[in-house]
Amino acid sequence: MQIIGEKINGTRKLVAKAITERDASYIQNLAKKQVESGAHWLDINAGTHPSREPDDLIWLIKLVQDVTDVPLCLDSANPQALQMAMKEVKQTPMINSISGEPSRLEGVLPIVAEHGCPVIALCMDEKGISNTADERLQVIQKVFTETRQAGIPDEHIFVDPLVMTIGTNTEAGNIIFNTMRLIRREFPQAHISCGLSNISFGLPVRPLINRTFLVLAIEAGMDTAIIDPTDRSLQAAIFAAELLLGKDRHCLNYTRAFRAGKLEIALEKSG
Ligand code: THG
């Protein structure tokens, strides 16, 4: 399982404040904590202010690279910001994201192709997000036609089926699991990723819903996730799920995690 750390996101209040005030140590702490907790990539989102985004993104990239060695996942739809960011990164970053929307394909796909970046591809187009797994597959099939034409190998594509809120549509979970199964079958070389937190929006005990959703998604074929890597019960659930799905030879990762004290959170007195 590849973990993309979600915490450096300018749509979060305290991160937005740190960006505005140029509070370097707040951002660098978020980076260090996530990497120590096992993040393989760090998502970097400078917020949604178009005129400030390029400068803010560059500032974030430099800070994070000063304290960690993991590759970055540049969370931006702005081709100018991405173009500038490509000059600053020390390692090839993942790009978050393209979709079936023509403007995204035109603006971002050439950058992805030129630099050989892995890229997250959202299952949506200019008509929005469909409510059926079949239609989400159709949308992503069109995206694969474009990425293949641009010479991007399928294994560089991280398909994101786009998680919606279970509170407003109780099929939102099934739509995701079904879409993941279809993608696994149709594009076996591609990765499957998603952001979890939308699933539980508006409901109580969100961490419980998020980690149960994550386990079911792993079973449906997900191999990458944008999560809070410092959430220890989420990490513990990943170790157990991969163990149970035959993805942990000789139970090595699970027992190692246990010895490192990473599973204690799941130990509860049974009376
Ligand atoms: N798909 C793709 N990219 C994405 C998303 C997706 N990027 C943004 C988002 N969704 C994933 N990132 C976040 C980042 C922060 C939070 C949720 C998703 C978040 N944080 C809470 C907060 O800020 O209060 C709680 C966690 C915390 O405190 O650290 O909700 O779906 N491709």
Side-chain angles (χ1 to χ4, degrees):
M1 181 83 174
Q2 295 192 57
I3 294 171
I4 305 172
E6 72 179 12
K7 282 177 158 292
I8 303 178
N9 190 311
T11 65
R12 299 176 65 205
K13 247 196 198 135
L14 290 175
V15 175
K17 183 164 173 279
I19 294 173
T20 310
E21 294 173 359
R22 289 294 188 255
D23 181 350
S25 64
Y26 182 83
I27 301 292
Q28 288 182 323
N29 267 328
L30 285 183
K32 282 188 281 190
K33 265 197 284 182
Q34 292 186 97
V35 174
E36 282 161 19
S37 305
H40 304 102
W41 305 83
L42 290 179
D43 194 72
I44 307 290
N45 179 315
T48 49
H49 203 288
S51 66
R52 288 200 302 260
E53 194 197 354
D55 281 349
D56 290 348
L57 187 64
I58 301 299
W59 180 73
L60 289 171
I61 289 171
K62 285 182 174 161
L63 283 186
V64 170
Q65 289 186 148
D66 277 346
V67 292
T68 71
D69 290 325
V70 301
L72 308 179
C73 175
L74 304 177
D75 192 345
S76 169
N78 177 344
Q80 272 91 39
L82 288 172
Q83 202 71 268
M84 284 170 66
M86 291 309 306
K87 299 196 177 84
E88 302 295 335
V89 290
K90 291 185 186 160
Q91 303 187 64
T92 306
M94 189 182 299
I95 303 295
N96 183 9
S97 53
I98 57 170
S99 70
E101 295 160 280
S103 62
R104 289 257 192 141
L105 286 170
E106 280 159 32
V108 180
L109 198 56
I111 302 172
V112 170
E114 181 189 343
H115 298 276
C117 300
V119 61
I120 297 180
L122 309 179
C123 292
M124 65 174 292
D125 61 13
E126 69 279 12
K127 286 176 272 177
I129 305 171
S130 162
N131 254 337
T132 72
D134 283 338
E135 283 175 4
R136 288 195 199 186
L137 177 70
Q138 281 168 27
V139 165
I140 213 67
Q141 278 167 332
K142 278 191 274 173
V143 175
F144 272 100
T145 305
E146 298 285 334
T147 54
R148 285 172 175 177
Q149 217 154 51
I152 298 161
D154 286 3
E155 53 267 35
H156 277 192
I157 310 294
F158 289 69
V159 178
D160 183 335
L162 282 171
V163 175
M164 311 289 279
T165 305
I166 197 89
T168 52
N169 176 4
T170 50
E171 282 306 305
N174 288 326
I175 293 169
I176 292 295
F177 308 136
N178 291 337
T179 306
M180 287 179 171
R181 286 185 219 290
L182 292 175
I183 291 161
R184 245 309 136 259
R185 203 177 60 196
E186 198 96 351
F187 302 103
Q189 306 302 321
H191 296 278
I192 300 177
S193 174
C194 77
L196 300 184
S197 55
N198 260 349
I199 197 73
S200 58
F201 188 74
L203 288 166
V205 200
R206 293 184 65 182
L208 172 64
I209 299 175
N210 292 349
R211 78 175 165 267
T212 308
F213 174 76
L214 181 89
V215 169
L216 296 169
I218 293 173
E219 196 281 325
M222 185 176 77
D223 62 14
T224 307
I226 306 174
I227 58 169
D228 175 358
T230 66
D231 178 341
R232 293 168 63 88
S233 25
L234 199 54
Q235 293 263 17
I238 295 173
F239 284 115
E242 296 207 311
L243 173 72
L244 292 169
L245 290 168
K247 293 173 194 209
D248 183 2
R249 288 185 65 194
H250 308 299
C251 311
L252 210 61
N253 293 335
Y254 186 84
T255 48
R256 254 191 214 138
F258 171 69
R259 282 196 296 270
K262 290 183 183 172
L263 306 182
E264 275 150 27
I265 192 103
L267 268 180
E268 213 170 70
K269 289 215 175 64
S270 53

